[in-house]
Amino acid sequence: MPSPKDLGLPLEKWREGQYELVTRAAEATKTLIIQAPPGTGKSALAVGAARLSHQKTIILTATKSLQTQYTTQFRGMVHSLYGRANYPCVLDTFDNYTAADLGAVGVRCDDAPCGVGYQCSWVDRCPYFMERDKFLGADIGVTNYSYFLQSPMKCDLVVCDEGHLFDKVLGKEVRLPYDHIPEDIDNLLLETQRDVYSSMVASRPNGREYRAYAKTLESIEQAISLLAKPTGKVFALEGGQLVIKEVWGQWESGARTVIMSGTLEPVELFAKFYGIRDYEFVDVPWTFKADRRPLYYRPVTHVSGQRVGEVAPRLARMVDWELGRRGGEKGLIHSVSYELGEAVWGLMRRQDRVLLHRRGDRREEVVAKFRTMERDVWLMSPSMGVGEDFPYDAARSQIILKLPFPNLGDSLVQARRRQYPEWYLYSTAQALWQMYGRVMRSEDDAGETVLLDENYDMIVKAGLVPSGIQAAIR
């Protein structure tokens, strides 16, 4: 058995069963679905499988924080590529006159003239294209699902990390400049396409105007392509635009595929939702002792978005009580919604110990501030359920105010629930168990979870509590 060092991994030794998983992933012929709890070392599994297989591998993440984690942990072994918006266009640096003429001064690469056909002379100096070339030439690359699905690229092995977020990353979505839902969308798209072409010819637009026209045409072409697919769609008005969404995105890749997450069970449902037919499933047992990661179920009330004013006082009293028991700790309070978080915080006696994540705050800045704060502070946020880890003293406890139900006001959620009624609770359970894993990240760590929403009884009744978590419930 080669050691982690033999594969170039920054590990002293394999965790129990870890090398067997690496081997299985490297040699899989069918789609391999791995449910692996915190502490399994999923990132090392992905990179180790790539190294062991000696094949071109692309690792996909749904969150920027995990993509950055791969780059940092395996520096020099994997090459990371972000979306175009993360890189500045350098045309104005090397040719300011042309950049000004094209309206491209101070823009990012997603709004650069080259995106609509301009033949830029500075591609070899462009940070996006330079990073893209390194990514395509690397043995192991890591990027986000959106980029990979929009720009298919050849590889031998695809490792899909954060597989529990398939429902957010696979379905295609197109935004169009309409303020209504038309009865005959096909004819309207063709008419708009002709009108845009005519306007471009008549107005002789400048660079920025031309790019706006070109992006509208691109959206129309994407909409025509999406409507031609034999999958369900929903239409909605959001922010003054018509949005067409694919109800179920299906996983499609010409490469061998490994899908990983800490929460995918029951795998039969996961496979059904995303069109995965020929697969193998590996359920990795928890290695963290249950008494070091207890989940205290303390049902206060049935919490819902429609009852915020009614339930907030009871939740605030319980949160105050829990914080009173836990002096000197840092912790998380999962509010699930900004409205609930602000309502509960506003009624708390211990507000001074809580950093409130308000609507409009930049998530990255809130997290960075919390990480640098001293002990005895809690972060109340609706968006810490995935993508962030708080090991050891970064957060010793967490309180979950409300189950993370999908929003029933969303037409996409309604359509999915109509087709697969069981998906609604399944999706809720996956999000809940992701929250549970935020504060316990290694065998010598310890983290407590307190759940206050009485709706949890529905998750139990549906049989959606994994055995490894059942053992920790108190």
Side-chain angles (χ1 to χ4, degrees), residues 145-181:
Y145 282 93
S146 178
Y147 187 90
F148 180 81
L149 295 172
Q150 291 175 8
S151 310
M153 50 200 76
K154 290 184 178 180
C155 62
D156 302 297
L157 176 65
V158 177
V159 179
C160 301
D161 207 338
E162 300 182 299
H164 56 279
L165 294 176
F166 264 24
D167 61 346
K168 294 178 174 60
V169 298
L170 290 190
K172 290 183 171 58
E173 175 180 307
V174 181
R175 294 181 173 269
L176 298 165
Y178 305 131
D179 60 2
H180 65 290
I181 300 177

Side-chain angles (χ1 to χ4, degrees), residues 35-38 262-263 265 283-295 433 436-437 440 456 463-474:
Q35 178 172 268
T263 55
E265 200 175 15
D283 185 9
V284 182
W286 281 79
T287 58
F288 299 169
K289 293 181 179 179
D291 60 1
R292 296 184 66 83
R293 51 181 175 89
L295 191 162
W433 304 135
Y436 171 72
M440 174 76 178
Y456 172 69
L464 294 172
V465 185
S467 58
I469 295 176
Q470 289 178 16
I473 296 174
R474 303 290 185 264

Side-chain angles (χ1 to χ4, degrees), residues 207-254:
R208 188 175 291 276
E209 292 169 343
Y210 178 83
R211 293 203 301 283
Y213 279 125
K215 288 196 171 186
T216 300
L217 290 172
E218 182 182 21
S219 295
I220 292 172
E221 291 168 0
Q222 290 174 349
I224 292 172
S225 174
L226 177 57
L227 290 170
K229 295 181 66 175
T231 54
K233 294 96 184 171
V234 295
F235 299 79
L237 294 175
E238 297 178 6
Q241 292 182 307
L242 173 65
V243 184
I244 306 174
K245 301 178 182 180
E246 193 174 19
V247 176
W248 291 106
Q250 304 292 286
W251 173 252
E252 298 174 347
S253 171

Side-chain angles (χ1 to χ4, degrees), residues 40 60 147 226 234 307 372 374 407 439 472:
T40 305
L60 304 181
Y147 187 90
L226 177 57
V234 295
R307 302 178 62 223
T372 59
E374 297 298 324
N407 180 13
V439 297

Side-chain angles (χ1 to χ4, degrees), residues 41 82 117 154 172 207 216 220 277 290 306 316 328 357 405 419 439:
Y82 298 92
K154 290 184 178 180
K172 290 183 171 58
T216 300
I220 292 172
R277 293 176 178 82
Q306 291 73 40
H357 181 183
F405 290 107
Q419 184 172 354
V439 297

Side-chain angles (χ1 to χ4, degrees), residues 239-312:
Q241 292 182 307
L242 173 65
V243 184
I244 306 174
K245 301 178 182 180
E246 193 174 19
V247 176
W248 291 106
Q250 304 292 286
W251 173 252
E252 298 174 347
S253 171
R256 296 185 300 110
T257 300
V258 176
I259 302 171
M260 307 188 304
S261 174
T263 55
L264 294 173
E265 200 175 15
V267 69
E268 296 81 6
L269 293 182
F270 177 82
K272 178 173 73 171
F273 299 151
Y274 305 110
I276 303 170
R277 293 176 178 82
D278 192 17
Y279 66 89
E280 296 180 71
F281 177 57
V282 178
D283 185 9
V284 182
W286 281 79
T287 58
F288 299 169
K289 293 181 179 179
D291 60 1
R292 296 184 66 83
R293 51 181 175 89
L295 191 162
Y296 297 101
Y297 179 37
R298 302 289 182 260
V300 171
T301 184
H302 291 280
V303 185
S304 72
Q306 291 73 40
R307 302 178 62 223
V308 169
E310 179 184 346
V311 304

